[in-house]
Amino acid sequence: SPLPLSKMMIARNAILDQPADDIRDLFLLALAAAAVGGISNLGFGPEVYVSKQREDADVYQLLSDRLSHIETDLRAMESLKPFARSQVFCDDARKLTEFVNTGIDAVITSPPYPNEKDYTRITRLEMVLLGFVRDKKDLRQLKNRLLRSNTRNIFVKDDDARYVSDISDIRLIANEVERRRTEKGADSGFERLYHRVVLEYFGGMYRVLRELEQVMRRGAQAAIVVGDQMSFFQVPIRTAELLAVVVKAKGMPYDIIDIEEFRTRRATATRKNISETVLVLKKK
């Protein structure tokens, strides 16, 4: 809304007037968090939407509260200083060996699932506010680095599907999605891409696992949290089990230690419980 927006931009410009250092970055981070949680009209349920309009917002108090949380977190992290060195890469996990070359002992990750959730839309406000995205070209470049998990980041030249085209379990699911689309007469541009998302997703995850095997030490373990899906014409996609199929079918150097249900989620469209599962792999 106009008044909260004006206050937020005043705060943002004041922050950007400061020297470009880590402190300024923390202030920008706090402002982005406050913008989503207390300044904007965004709602999430599960997709992003515009909720009730805010006449006003106490921007400066919200910013101050976020900064206080950050300070508390940093003090807690400081007590772990000898063990808490971290490094962040803004890159594509399908090209992991291009920017990571040290031996990895453990991996804990929750990649996207094959569904229609566009993660760049969910975080659009923060990306614009922080200057990561200025136009459609910036957004396209960002989407190119993402795992193909929804129709909004499928591109003409994508070809990760070729890595799993010989795996019948995955091919059968993609074919069933396309069959149901044809049966229903669903002809939108997005619906025509549903079957392709399935293939591109598992092909992309194959590439991630192949890259991981080259940087994980022998005996290292990976916990991969993924959710089952029924987003594409109610065709069940048991994501963790299919990733295990990929590992076996491609003879990858992993032992499958466990496929354990982590929690269940309530599907918005069907009101059915859907499992979120941890796939545990161990490098041979």
Side-chain angles (χ1 to χ4, degrees), residues 125-249:
L125 176 60
E126 300 100 303
M127 290 192 296
V128 172
L129 181 62
L130 297 174
F132 296 132
V133 170
R134 295 177 177 83
D135 52 34
K136 287 185 177 181
K137 182 181 177 182
D138 289 344
L139 186 59
R140 184 181 177 87
Q141 288 176 344
L142 177 65
K143 285 186 173 185
N144 259 318
R145 293 209 304 263
L146 299 179
L147 192 69
R148 305 302 191 250
S149 63
N150 65 87
T151 56
R152 290 165 181 80
N153 76 331
I154 293 287
F155 298 100
V156 173
K157 294 182 179 180
D158 287 343
D159 64 349
D160 285 352
R162 63 193 167 98
Y163 295 106
V164 294
S165 60
D166 59 334
I167 300 178
S168 61
D169 299 62
I170 295 171
R171 194 174 62 251
L172 286 171
I173 288 174
N175 290 343
E176 177 62 13
V177 169
E178 181 62 4
R179 187 192 69 78
R180 293 195 189 184
R181 181 194 71 79
T182 305
E183 187 179 76
K184 290 175 178 291
D187 277 341
S188 75
F190 293 128
E191 289 166 325
R192 285 176 176 272
L193 291 173
Y194 284 173
H195 75 287
R196 191 174 170 203
V197 171
V198 174
L199 296 169
E200 293 292 338
Y201 173 80
F202 285 102
M205 283 301 296
Y206 163 78
R207 289 180 59 192
V208 173
L209 292 170
R210 184 63 79 190
E211 291 285 295
L212 269 176
E213 75 175 51
Q214 297 180 59
V215 295
M216 289 174 66
R217 290 192 175 98
R218 186 175 181 180
Q221 294 194 32
I224 302 170
V225 182
V226 286
D228 293 347
Q229 284 300 314
M230 296 180 67
S231 297
F232 305 133
F233 302 116
Q234 304 301 302
V235 176
I237 301 175
R238 306 205 179 282
T239 313
E241 293 178 13
L242 287 168
L243 289 175
V245 168
V246 171
V247 168
K248 292 178 179 178

